[in-house]
Amino acid sequence: MPKNKFKLNIGSILEAEEGAHVEFDIDALLKLDEKTEMPITAAVQVMKLSHEVNVTAKKFTAEASVVCSRCIKKFKQKISIKLIERQFLFERPHVVEDADDLYLVDMKNATIDIAELFRQELLLHFPLIPLCSLKCKGLCAVCGKNLNLGDCGHNHDVDISSIETQKPLLKLKELFKQSQNGKTTDKQTKSSTKPNQKKI
Ligand SMILES: [Zn+2]
Ligand SMILES: [Zn+2]
């Protein structure tokens, strides 16, 4: 059975005084789900405190295989996280506020497993709209050609999405105009009837 590289043996500090710490250089594949593995590097420090160990990960980098949201090309995106910090408790507390954010030391085996912590952090930092390049030209809306590879001759000045968003705005403008006109004519008729009412 392959050894879990994210399961760290902290036996050397568990029996030591508070403040004792141990360092680990992580360079391993992290399993995100059944199909996805991601290479991870990080410098991890584990420090013993009174009721827990404090885990800090610095220089965290991961390389994700993602699909460009403009040209649908697959590419590798580097994800860097400056600092990850979390406490792993010696004992499960009586009241657990957020079970997803509860990390415990495996006291029997004197280990902590930081795979889940890294997984959660990666999800938080995952690019929502991946771009292979800020200059990515995307695909032609007419023929679907990848415009980074060359032009296809179609007109790309008109962005279909902008037309779609403009349409409702134009309609609103029309409605607004109509209501403005309606108001003024309404006022006009009112004011024009006023003198008549006074006379009566
Ligand atoms: Zn792209
Ligand atoms: Zn085209």
Side-chain angles (χ1 to χ4, degrees):
M1 212 174 129
K3 201 180 162 220
N4 180 354
K5 300 252 179 67
F6 296 94
K7 198 173 262 184
L8 310 178
N9 192 316
I10 56 166
S12 64
I13 60 163
L14 279 185
E15 300 301 322
E17 286 176 20
E18 277 179 42
H21 51 85
V22 58
E23 264 104 44
F24 301 89
D25 275 325
I26 307 289
D27 186 356
L29 285 173
L30 179 66
K31 213 172 178 183
L32 285 187
D33 55 46
E34 286 309 312
K35 283 181 274 177
T36 328
E37 278 187 330
M38 230 182 251
I40 304 278
T41 61
V44 173
Q45 190 201 62
V46 186
M47 183 187 282
K48 193 197 170 185
L49 300 174
S50 54
H51 303 290
E52 72 262 306
V53 290
N54 193 56
V55 177
T56 52
K58 289 177 180 169
K59 295 187 223 158
F60 180 101
T61 65
E63 205 175 63
S65 283
V66 291
V67 175
C68 176
S69 55
R70 281 190 201 151
C71 71
I72 65 171
K73 187 181 87 177
K74 251 193 169 185
F75 70 101
K76 300 238 189 268
Q77 177 143 11
K78 204 173 162 186
I79 299 170
S80 303
I81 305 173
K82 266 190 189 163
L83 177 70
I84 297 170
E85 186 166 20
R86 208 59 55 97
Q87 281 76 45
F88 282 64
L89 307 177
F90 294 151
E91 270 179 57
R92 173 177 284 271
H94 296 300
V95 183
V96 178
E97 276 178 18
D98 183 0
D100 288 338
D101 205 34
L102 174 71
Y103 296 99
L104 296 170
V105 177
D106 180 347
M107 297 302 278
K108 209 174 101 191
N109 298 304
T111 57
I112 57 169
D113 190 346
I114 57 172
E116 189 54 33
L117 172 62
F118 280 5
R119 235 177 258 134
Q120 299 286 345
E121 288 289 332
L122 266 174
L123 287 177
L124 282 177
H125 290 84
F126 221 76
L128 290 178
I129 305 168
L131 287 179
C132 66
S133 142
L134 284 176
K135 289 179 186 159
C136 176
K137 293 180 180 137
L139 305 176
C140 170
V142 182
C143 69
K145 182 179 167 154
N146 185 338
L147 299 173
N148 298 310
L149 304 175
D151 198 31
C152 55
H154 290 118
N155 182 11
H156 307 117
D157 295 337
V158 190
D159 185 357
I160 290 177
S161 62
S162 70
I163 295 174
E164 289 304 313
T165 51
Q166 270 165 17
K167 262 185 194 165
L169 282 179
L170 281 176
K171 263 184 196 163
L172 267 179
K173 214 175 168 184
E174 284 293 306
L175 283 172
F176 185 68
K177 261 188 197 167
Q178 280 170 15
S179 71
Q180 286 290 94
N181 289 337
K183 263 181 196 169
T184 44
T185 50
D186 196 36
K187 265 181 196 164
Q188 274 163 359
T189 48
K190 261 183 191 167
S191 56
S192 60
T193 54
K194 257 182 189 171
N196 291 338
Q197 281 172 338
K198 263 183 191 170
K199 271 176 198 167
I200 296 162

